[in-house]
């Protein structure tokens, strides 16, 4: 389960930590919505997010959003500031209603 995350440079240990951190139903939904999850992760990777593992451990909810919704939210803010937040203090996204 969640082996598709290896495409984002996650190790088996990191994937197991994600599985352990969240409930079984959430992990099943993540696996079930694999295509949407991968589309969202590809967006974040292309946007410049360096640590996909941190993103998943901190704000798993973001990968359940459609890429169009993510783009809409991100277009309201400065890209440099967003990259800083995503790569350093991802919890601060909540301050921007993201």
């Amino acid at each position: 389960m969640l082996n598709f995350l290896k495409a984002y440079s996650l190790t088996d240990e990191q994937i197991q930590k994600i599985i352990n951190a969240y409930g079984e139903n959430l992990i099943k939904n993540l696996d079930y919505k694999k295509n949407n999850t991968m589309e969202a992760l590809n967006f974040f990777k292309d946007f410049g997010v360096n640590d996909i593992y941190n993103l998943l451990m901190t704000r798993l909810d973001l990968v359940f959003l459609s890429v169009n919704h993510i783009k809409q939210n991100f277009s309201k803010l400065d890209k440099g500031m967003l990259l800083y937040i995503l790569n350093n203090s991802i919890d601060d996204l909540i301050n921007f209603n993201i």
Side-chain angles (χ1 to χ4, degrees), residues 65-81:
L65 301 173
S66 72
V67 171
N68 288 334
H69 186 76
I70 296 168
K71 286 180 182 177
Q72 183 180 19
N73 282 333
F74 280 25
S75 68
K76 299 174 188 176
L77 303 170
D78 177 69
K79 182 177 179 177
M81 180 184 66

